[in-house]
Amino acid sequence: MSVIVRFAPSPTGRIHVGNVRTAIINWLFAKRSNGKFMLRLDDTDRERSTQEFADGIKTDLAWLGLGHDIFARQSDRFGRYDEVAEKFREQGRLYACYETPDELERKRKRQLARGAPPVYDRSGLKLSDEQKRSLEAEGRKPHWRFFLEDKTMSWDDLVRGKQTIEASSLSDPILIRGDGSYLYTLPSVIDDVDFAVTHVIRGEDHVANTGAQIQVFEALGAEPPKFGHHNLLVGASGDRLSKRLGSLSIQGLRESGLDALSVTSFVATIGTSDPVAPFASLEALAENFEFSKLSRAPARFDERELIALNAKCLHERDYVSVQADLAKIDADGGEAFWLAVRGNLEKLKDALAWWQIVQGPVTPKIDDPDFCAKAAELLPDVEWDENTWGTWTSEVKQATGAKGKALFMPLRLALTGLDHGPELRALLPLIGRVKALARLKGQSA
Ligand code: GLU
């Protein structure tokens, strides 16, 4: 069986770390199984879905490297959904209901007050044709519910193990709203069947939907796919992330300067039995992927941990893999420069500030001009390399008696204008004699 999975966002906003966790789990599983990854836009909500969000989602996935093999958009397939809906009506699986949301809410409250489960009472099913006509004459438009047969639905979940849901614990799901628009439930199942999706992998907030959808698959005469429901993200202190998800959009993370591979490595390993660690590629992540590693407890998302992982990835990156990205931000100072500064970077864009310090002009900070003038005099004349700093500073130490911080800090402030940064042993040869001399004399260079 060749694996086909799908990631099915609604283009009613940009995708965030929560959605991307679903996308990446699907993508890694497809990769691992030599299968196909489908991007499906669940855009049946015509009012809230926009082309701009659809394009944005594609941009975000492309940036993350999560390319797709199959693409579909539900708005192209309404004819197919109408055909199935009609068949279900004929079979009596889809029935008209006329309650307003208020009326439904009151029913629910009454049931709860009686200690009964708030399951829809199927009043719609009991209406005669005449009653329906008179409700429609009042101006009411029917919404349509799917009749769930009274049985137990069960499946062997890829993450959660054996699951069972009693149909009697569920309300007959509404498949079509009063305005004729589809909820995601029916189109999703029809697409999963038509595109031969073998594994439906999504967040555990969909477990109850899966119970109902299994009956929809059966009504279509199809074998349900395998299901896997992964844990959801919570904030660092266990709080719900939903309110903050806007700021945790992939677009936002990209614009903040994080690397795509750090985001994918992070999102794929939090909430698993693997340690959060940098991965060299998506392929390496895929090789490591196992459903059994996903934990049942929520996955904690702490942005500071993501930034720390991003830094760790940069500290280990070799020049060849980073050169093109450095060039894009005008900070390709060559391999020696990269090796000198990578350990000081949190985000790649921070490299630019160090490249500007190497290139100048830098406004030196000089507290003791005599000390710096003496140091300037002692600057070696021979060709500079990584030993220059050591040779030079021991001479300055001998000549001035300064040592430790009192020796190094004035030199750092003069040479870089800053009190922190990469090792001067590596920076000094990059800055070069001419600029170093000028800066020690207090000149901007
Ligand atoms: N559009 C649905 C959602 O984003 C898809 C759920 C599914 O994967 O079936 O929740």
Side-chain angles (χ1 to χ4, degrees):
M1 175 184 64
S2 99
V3 165
I4 302 182
V5 295
R6 85 293 195 281
F7 171 54
S10 294
T12 54
R14 290 300 279 259
I15 48 172
H16 49 67
V17 286
N19 312 120
V20 162
R21 188 165 157 78
T22 307
I24 188 132
I25 291 172
N26 274 285
W27 195 94
L28 295 175
F29 175 61
K31 188 88 195 162
R32 227 217 121 127
S33 334
N34 275 322
K36 294 202 159 73
F37 175 76
M38 171 179 191
L39 170 63
R40 184 181 85 201
L41 295 178
D42 282 5
D43 58 352
T44 54
D45 182 342
R46 300 309 292 146
E47 261 167 42
R48 291 172 55 230
S49 301
T50 69
Q51 186 59 41
E52 199 182 330
F53 286 137
D55 294 342
I57 289 172
K58 286 187 185 167
T59 305
D60 294 340
L61 290 175
W63 178 69
L64 290 167
L66 306 180
H68 52 266
D69 310 295
I70 308 166
F71 174 77
R73 204 167 41 192
Q74 293 193 324
S75 56
D76 289 338
R77 294 176 38 81
F78 286 126
R80 171 75 177 125
Y81 309 146
D82 291 347
E83 189 186 296
V84 173
E86 205 35 55
K87 202 171 106 205
F88 279 2
R89 278 190 195 100
E90 280 163 18
Q91 294 169 343
R93 286 309 289 268
L94 206 52
Y95 63 94
C97 299
Y98 292 85
E99 296 90 344
T100 62
D102 266 359
E103 286 164 352
L104 287 174
E105 187 50 35
R106 264 180 274 139
K107 273 191 192 187
R108 257 195 300 270
K109 283 200 177 129
R110 278 200 302 272
Q111 285 169 312
L112 288 170
R114 272 193 278 120
V119 170
Y120 178 60
D121 62 7
R122 293 186 164 155
S123 308
L125 206 52
K126 292 159 209 148
L127 295 171
S128 65
D129 286 348
E130 205 187 316
Q131 284 170 314
K132 289 185 198 170
R133 271 195 298 276
S134 84
L135 285 163
E136 282 174 33
E138 272 175 33
R140 294 192 188 224
K141 292 223 164 18
H143 54 270
W144 297 82
R145 286 191 190 257
F146 180 76
F147 182 89
L148 289 176
E149 287 170 355
D150 186 13
K151 59 180 176 186
T152 308
M153 286 81 74
S154 63
W155 72 94
D156 200 4
D157 197 282
L158 296 160
V159 183
R160 300 160 61 90
K162 174 112 175 130
Q163 303 288 300
T164 46
I165 295 187
E166 295 301 329
S168 56
S169 71
L170 302 174
S171 294
D172 288 340
I174 300 175
L175 299 190
I176 305 175
R177 297 187 187 89
D179 64 3
S181 65
Y182 287 94
L183 278 102
Y184 109 101
T185 318
L186 178 63
S188 176
V189 173
I190 297 174
D191 291 350
D192 289 339
V193 173
D194 290 358
F195 289 91
V197 167
T198 56
H199 296 72
V200 168
I201 304 159
R202 53 190 177 187
E204 61 189 16
D205 48 338
H206 283 292
V207 168
N209 290 340
T210 296
Q213 285 184 325
I214 284 176
Q215 288 212 18
V216 181
F217 278 102
E218 290 168 352
L220 284 167
E223 173 86 10
K226 297 224 170 346
F227 291 98
H229 295 86
H230 63 76
N231 51 3
L232 300 178
L233 294 190
V234 292
S237 46
D239 49 314
R240 285 186 55 144
L241 261 190
S242 51
K243 279 193 227 94
R244 291 182 46 227
L245 283 175
S247 66
L248 295 175
S249 70
I250 298 309
Q251 180 185 28
L253 296 179
R254 176 173 67 241
E255 285 168 0
S256 80
L258 289 166
D259 286 329
L261 198 53
S262 310
V263 176
T264 47
S265 299
F266 189 71
V267 171
T269 49
I270 49 171
T272 73
S273 52
D274 280 331
V276 169
F279 279 78
S281 64
L282 285 172
E283 285 68 27
L285 263 176
E287 253 166 57
N288 190 55
F289 176 81
E290 303 274 357
F291 281 111
S292 60
K293 290 181 178 174
L294 288 170
S295 121
R296 292 284 307 272
R300 280 175 194 256
F301 181 88
D302 183 342
E303 210 176 344
R304 285 163 309 182
E305 253 189 84
L306 168 58
I307 293 171
L309 180 73
N310 194 74
K312 203 166 171 205
C313 288
L314 288 175
H315 301 173
E316 292 173 10
R317 245 173 115 172
D318 60 24
Y319 176 62
V320 176
S321 78
V322 81
Q323 187 180 9
D325 295 335
L326 285 173
K328 269 186 229 150
I329 56 166
D330 287 326
D332 180 10
E335 183 163 18
F337 166 73
W338 173 247
L339 297 179
V341 302
R342 67 178 181 178
N344 285 73
L345 308 179
E346 203 167 62
K347 295 183 177 163
L348 187 72
K349 63 180 181 185
D350 303 339
L352 182 59
W354 295 117
W355 183 229
Q356 283 166 347
I357 281 173
V358 167
Q359 284 191 302
V362 160
T363 307
K365 272 195 81 183
I366 298 205
D367 294 332
D368 181 348
D370 292 343
F371 175 82
C372 288
K374 186 78 208 154
E377 259 172 49
L378 295 169
L379 272 179
D381 235 344
V382 290
E383 184 139 340
W384 282 18
D385 59 23
E386 292 234 329
N387 299 319
T388 309
W389 169 256
T391 325
W392 176 46
T393 50
S394 35
E395 281 186 33
V396 178
K397 181 176 171 183
Q398 259 186 5
T400 62
K403 55 182 182 207
K405 200 173 169 197
L407 169 65
F408 301 124
M409 190 51 82
L411 299 179
R412 180 178 283 286
L413 287 167
L415 292 169
T416 68
L418 296 173
D419 62 4
H420 64 278
E423 282 188 47
L424 285 163
R425 186 172 53 84
L427 272 194
L428 186 66
L430 296 165
I431 293 170
R433 194 172 197 285
V434 175
K435 278 176 273 178
L437 189 63
R439 291 177 194 177
L440 287 163
K441 290 180 180 163
Q443 296 156 7
S444 171

